[in-house]
Structures are given as C-alpha cells and as structure tokens.
Amino acid sequence: MIKSRIVNYIARNLSSVKNNGISRDISFETVYSLPLIKYIATINRLKVYHFIGTGIALPTCSLLEIFNAVPNNSFLTASYIGVTGAIVLSLASFPLRNTIGFLYVSEDNKFIKISSVDYWGRRKDKIINSNDWIPMFDLSPKVMDGIYRTPQLSDGTKYKLFVRFGKIVNGTKMAQVLE
C-alpha cells in the first residue's frame, strides 16, 4: 500500500508539471545570466540567518544574565547588535529583491522563463507567455537605467535586470522577444 502511494506520488510529480497552465516540458535556451546572482542571494539570505541568531541569542543572554553567568547589560548589548544588524541587512537587501539571475526563451519564442531571487534569498522560477512581457522600450526611462533596467509584466510584477553586469548569451534572441 505504501509502495503504491510512493509510485503514484512520483508519477504525478515527475510527469509534465504545469506552471500557470504552461507545460514544463518545453525546451528553453539561456539568453541572459548574471554571475553575481549567487552573491545577491547570499546577502538576501544572510538576514534570515541573522534573525534566527538574534532570536536564539536574546533569550540566552537574558537567562545567562539572570543567573549572573555574564556581566550586566549583556542582554542590551545583544539586542543592540541584533536590531542594528537586522535593520542594516534588511535595508541592504531591499533594493536587491526580484533580481533576475537567468532569462530563458523557448525555442519557438512563445514563452519566457524568469529565474529571480526574492527578498528572502530564494530562487523563484516563473514561466510566462512572451506577450505578458512588456517591452523595455515601451516603459518610461528611469534614473536607475544606467545601473539596471526594470522590466515589467502585464500583471504588474516588476524585476531588476542588471544588463551591464550580466552576460548576454544570445543577444539576437533576447532582442527579438524582450525588446
């Protein structure tokens, strides 16, 4: 009985999985990659680890201070470091949310796969129809266009595309679909 459940689970999850009604067995070609994306993800993930460490350190310091195992004001010192570090890491990672690390275009140019890093440092893959991508030349110019472009989807989702620091693998295909 358990064996049949496992086999059914594997068969369901390894068959062609759908993403927003789009089959995942479409072959994609990489058109853009950002080598710095792993560092951006690390910075975004670092704040999670800091929050966990602060959550463990504050009760521990307060207990140790109650039992006179550490000097007085250790709890205040730990809380200052924890809160200040959380604020700095949150502010540093806020502008790096929704950064595109990889862009893939299907062979028939009908679908775009966006691999981005969210605010918490996790990779998010999204497969969209190429008509949902608003061409970057249709958007109004922004002050930060010298550093990164801000592509937008028809549902209002905004991303950051560091073209200056990234590698364009297939420029002609990227220009045909995205611009």
Side-chain angles (χ1 to χ4, degrees), residues 118-169:
D118 67 354
Y119 182 71
W120 301 105
R122 294 178 302 226
R123 179 179 175 154
K124 298 288 184 183
D125 291 336
K126 187 173 187 178
I127 299 174
I128 61 167
N129 193 333
S130 61
N131 296 331
D132 291 340
W133 180 279
I134 299 174
M136 287 188 267
F137 291 126
D138 291 350
L139 299 172
S140 62
K142 295 181 179 55
V143 176
M144 300 304 286
D145 280 348
I147 299 172
Y148 62 84
R149 306 284 288 168
T150 53
Q152 189 173 351
L153 303 181
S154 60
D155 65 357
T157 309
K158 293 181 182 180
Y159 292 97
K160 292 172 185 65
L161 184 66
F162 290 91
V163 179
R164 186 179 199 180
F165 304 109
K167 283 192 330 189
I168 298 176
V169 179

Side-chain angles (χ1 to χ4, degrees), residues 98-102 114-118 122-125 159:
N98 288 338
T99 301
I100 295 176
F102 294 94
I114 303 169
S115 294
S116 63
V117 174
D118 67 354
R122 294 178 302 226
R123 179 179 175 154
K124 298 288 184 183
D125 291 336
Y159 292 97

Side-chain angles (χ1 to χ4, degrees), residues 3 12 28 41 57 65 68 78-79 95 114 121 125 133 138 142 170:
K3 195 174 197 180
R12 258 193 334 261
F28 287 91
E65 191 173 320
N68 292 326
S79 61
I114 303 169
D125 291 336
W133 180 279
D138 291 350
K142 295 181 179 55
N170 190 344

Side-chain angles (χ1 to χ4, degrees), residues 44 89-99 119 148 160 162:
N44 287 355
L89 289 171
S90 296
L91 289 176
S93 65
F94 189 72
L96 300 174
R97 71 188 190 287
N98 288 338
T99 301
Y119 182 71
Y148 62 84
K160 292 172 185 65
F162 290 91

Side-chain angles (χ1 to χ4, degrees), residues 10-56:
I10 291 173
R12 258 193 334 261
N13 290 331
L14 293 181
S15 61
S16 82
V17 179
K18 301 260 183 183
N19 185 357
N20 296 334
I22 302 168
S23 176
R24 282 199 181 184
D25 53 358
I26 301 170
S27 61
F28 287 91
E29 179 184 347
T30 306
V31 294
Y32 169 81
S33 68
L34 180 66
L36 300 173
I37 196 68
K38 56 188 163 192
Y39 302 115
I40 292 172
T42 302
I43 290 170
N44 287 355
R45 214 173 304 127
L46 193 60
K47 89 171 143 292
V48 175
Y49 301 139
H50 185 77
F51 286 146
I52 292 170
T54 302
I56 293 170

